[in-house]
Amino acid sequence: MSPPVFRFAPSPNGFLHLGHACSALLNFDAAQRVGGRFLLRIEDIDPTRCRAEFEAAIHEDLGWLGITWETPVRRQSDHLADYRTALDRLAALGLLYPSFESRGEIAALVKVREAEGIWPRDPDGAPLYPGAAKSLPAGERERRLRAGAPFALRLDMDAACRLAGDLTWTEHGSGPAGETGEIVASPKVWGDVILARKDTPTSYHLSVVIDDALQGVTNVVRGQDLFQSTAVHRLLQRILDLPQPVYRHHDLIRDSAGKKLSKSSRAIGLRELRAGGMTADGVRRLIGLL
């Protein structure tokens, strides 16, 4: 029997903080306990935010924590053809369509919808796609594509769910409300999610399931903020005939106001803690792993 495979997959769009340390150490420790493999993956599909200096800092910070990983490291930007293959398969099944609205146009459409009543939002609080691109005549769709109009490739969620049937996943951790065990996946709550854009030919949802499958990841250990996303991932796994990992979602590290740590909120980075005299064991104590 092959050993279990764990992974830590940060985006190089900022410096790692305690939340990242928690996830990386949980994965590394779990792999060590069961004689498994630990992989580092760089999720750098956003060329406008990802930078080489942040990628180098990821290696430095993880090394300081005592974490080691297999090489070579998979960088998503080096494997866009893998995601294109998956998109082609979804398109052949009739499950993709391009939407041409800008973010501003979508916001205006949502405002119109909300004037008529409550408009549904996804688990992250974003409004579901309100446009009518799915019913755009084929000729008009082709005309816009030939003209080079910017677009997002969306998943026809209703059609995808009909094809996939009932979905579940095995949860060895817990969701935000304590959900654990056999979880019923409800991807429809996300609406017609974006799987690629003209300028970024993949998305988090698509690339993470493709990468996990190609790398043989058997155990996905990640924060509870991604618990609901698992429904979309199970949907794509079923449609694309990909293996189903075991999932464990862990508690988030939060600041004094109870908000999860994030790069956008300028959470204190591991490099700052290190410069202030913090040790790797001190980090473990801070996040409750020692």
Side-chain angles (χ1 to χ4, degrees):
M1 182 178 294
S2 300
V5 181
F6 297 77
R7 50 79 166 170
F8 175 58
S11 295
N13 55 13
F15 295 116
L16 299 187
H17 51 62
L18 285 174
H20 296 115
C22 179
S23 190
L25 287 167
L26 284 172
N27 276 281
F28 180 70
D29 290 353
Q32 294 288 100
R33 281 196 303 272
V34 299
R37 298 166 56 204
F38 175 78
L39 310 178
L40 172 64
R41 183 166 74 225
I42 300 298
E43 298 194 340
D44 61 343
I45 58 174
D46 185 348
T48 62
R49 299 176 60 204
C50 296
R51 289 155 46 181
E53 64 197 80
F54 293 140
E55 186 172 338
I58 288 170
H59 288 244
E60 181 182 347
D61 289 342
L62 294 180
W64 172 65
L65 289 172
I67 293 174
T68 57
W69 55 89
E70 295 184 10
T71 57
V73 171
R74 182 178 174 94
R75 299 172 71 250
Q76 290 182 333
S77 60
D78 296 331
H79 298 276
L80 298 182
D82 292 332
Y83 315 131
R84 180 72 259 173
T85 298
L87 288 169
D88 288 345
R89 183 170 178 183
L90 292 170
L93 292 168
L95 299 179
L96 296 182
Y97 66 92
S99 63
F100 300 94
E101 299 95 342
S102 67
R103 287 182 174 87
E105 289 170 334
I106 287 178
L109 285 171
V110 170
K111 188 174 181 180
V112 171
R113 303 290 191 274
E114 290 182 330
E116 301 169 352
I118 296 174
W119 185 253
R121 293 177 177 262
D122 68 25
D124 286 341
L128 301 192
Y129 173 63
K134 189 159 47 179
S135 59
L136 196 67
E140 175 62 15
R141 183 179 293 170
E142 290 303 316
R143 185 193 68 78
R144 295 189 188 189
L145 290 172
R146 286 196 303 269
F151 64 86
L153 281 177
R154 293 183 179 273
L155 179 69
D156 184 335
M157 184 61 75
D158 287 339
C161 287
R162 285 195 299 271
L163 179 62
D166 295 337
L167 297 165
T168 62
W169 80 84
T170 302
E171 177 60 52
H172 285 195
S174 64
E179 306 96 326
T180 192
E182 197 73 5
I183 306 295
V184 175
S186 303
K188 284 188 178 182
V189 299
W190 291 94
D192 289 359
V193 294
I194 292 174
L195 293 187
R197 296 183 185 274
K198 180 180 179 181
D199 55 349
T200 306
T202 186
S203 67
Y204 166 72
H205 290 310
L206 180 66
S207 56
V208 73
V209 297
I210 298 300
D211 289 343
D212 283 346
L214 290 177
Q215 292 190 288
V217 173
T218 60
N219 294 67
V220 173
V221 180
R222 59 190 183 187
Q224 285 179 345
D225 53 331
L226 292 170
F227 178 82
Q228 299 292 350
S229 296
T230 312
V232 178
H233 302 167
R234 287 292 301 119
L235 176 63
L236 292 172
Q237 288 162 355
R238 172 70 61 79
I239 292 171
L240 295 170
D241 298 318
L242 303 177
Q244 175 185 354
V246 169
Y247 289 91
R248 175 189 171 194
H249 293 87
H250 60 76
D251 291 342
L252 301 175
I253 305 298
R254 300 183 182 275
D255 61 19
S256 58
K259 296 182 178 180
K260 74 168 185 174
L261 301 183
S262 68
K263 296 168 184 173
S264 60
S265 65
R266 298 178 182 271
I268 296 176
L270 296 181
R271 61 197 302 105
E272 295 173 83
L273 293 172
R274 182 164 68 249
M278 178 70 67
T279 65
D281 281 349
V283 169
R284 283 183 173 273
R285 278 190 287 270
L286 275 177
I287 59 181
L289 297 182
L290 195 65

